[in-house]
Amino acid sequence: MKLKVLIIGGTGYIGKRLVKASLEQGHETYVLQRSDIGVDIEKVQMLLSFKKQGARLVVGSINDHRSLVEAVKQVDVVICAISGVHFRSHQILLQLKLVDAIKEAGNIKRFLPSEFGMDPERMGDAMEPGRVTFDDKMVVRKAIEDAGIPFTYVSANCFAGYFVGGLCQPGHILPTRDSVVLFGDGNQKAIFVDEDDVAAYTIKTINDPHTINKRIYLRPPANILSQREVVELWEKLIDKQLHKSCLSEQEFLLMMKDKEYAEQVGLTHFYHIFYEGCLANFEIGDDAEEASLLYPDIKYTKVEDYLKQYL
Ligand code: NDP
Ligand code: GFR
């Protein structure tokens, strides 16, 4: 069934892929054009290109309640892909204004808040300062559920661009041909998803009754890999062995101490993923779904193929 879909944060890293996937899957796609856009030429050019591809631009601002209510009234589904990196300003909490607008409009069949990572409900014991990401996302979830808004939460695991590109090394998004530092023995399983597949799976969920008021985990089976396995796939492609060193948990925590706050946030995410294995160390319960099982028609990109672009 074709829906009317509004994407907030549509010119962002995952947002632009959500716009593309929504158009590709045949939905009437609306993109918020923020009235306070200023002289951001890249953003304006991207919005104009969305329009050329058939999207409708809706002028509004997350800080202007009336404009949000008017925008939401035009659609069936709202997806938010607002940034998660500006922790100090708690950007994620701007979504509380969106929840208010959706509640007032009263017509929304499904709201997908900006998650697309680790399941914040499972990160209650996360380390400072990275826990801010999960605490803020849980505040938004509570507001959604208190307002009785139908939702789907997408836990996308690791975006391949951030994690596969750099062979799971913080500060790197291009693969080395020399040496690599492994987290511990490098054998903790993680899960990697091409961002285009994150978007395709996300759009598949919006009119699927199986996913209403559910968490959806993206676990494409070929991409449930350890850091060591990612490195080995790269070594095979370049036909060369990398020099490998192992960073113990203690050394990692010590190294993290003298880093800037913002860098520590990302580093703690790496810690939970690659020392604790938080993405793959649990079974998906009956109260959740797994996307690659729900949507086998999505031919997802395997990590071994994703890496070829870096040759
Ligand atoms: P971006 O940093 O690309 O920002 C997305 C959008 O946020 C921007 O395009 C902009 O919307 C909007 N935005 C930024 N500042 C403001 C503001 N002050 N007021 C209103 N809107 C604002 O986001 P990402 O795509 O990197 O992150 C989206 C989600 O994905 C987050 O929840 C993040 O935690 C998660 N994520 C997960 C990763 C993973 O590996 N699993 C990796 C990276 C992110 P507009 O387009 O309207 O200008
Ligand atoms: C996997 O789940 C998540 C991942 C999540 O729930 C929230 C955020 C992330 C990303 C962040 C995106 O901003 O994990 C780390 C961070 C990306 C990042 C990559 C941060 C610091 C780095 O040095 C880095 O190196 C590739």
Side-chain angles (χ1 to χ4, degrees), residues 6 32 58 60-61 64-75 97-108:
L6 170 63
L32 184 74
V58 184
S61 161
D64 170 353
H65 179 71
R66 189 55 32 216
S67 73
L68 279 186
V69 174
E70 289 317 306
V72 164
K73 276 185 172 165
Q74 297 179 51
V75 299
K97 297 173 183 290
L98 184 52
V99 170
D100 289 343
I102 291 171
K103 188 175 175 183
E104 180 174 322
N107 59 303
I108 291 303

Side-chain angles (χ1 to χ4, degrees), residues 73-131:
K73 276 185 172 165
Q74 297 179 51
V75 299
D76 308 305
V77 172
V78 177
I79 305 176
C80 187
I82 197 165
S83 181
V85 286
H86 308 292
F87 330 96
R88 286 195 192 287
S89 56
H90 295 276
Q91 203 110 39
I92 287 286
L93 296 182
L94 285 173
Q95 295 182 98
L96 296 175
K97 297 173 183 290
L98 184 52
V99 170
D100 289 343
I102 291 171
K103 188 175 175 183
E104 180 174 322
N107 59 303
I108 291 303
K109 296 192 179 81
R110 195 84 66 95
F111 174 44
L112 281 66
S114 186
E115 296 216 0
F116 305 111
M118 290 171 250
D119 177 352
E121 192 171 4
R122 298 188 52 83
M123 303 307 288
D125 299 333
M127 224 191 308
E128 292 291 358
R131 61 169 305 116

Side-chain angles (χ1 to χ4, degrees), residues 85 117-118 134 157-158 162-163 169-173 266 269-270 273:
V85 286
M118 290 171 250
F134 315 114
N157 294 311
C158 292
Y162 276 108
F163 290 90
Q169 293 188 104
H172 298 268
I173 49 174
H269 294 164
F270 276 82
I273 297 163

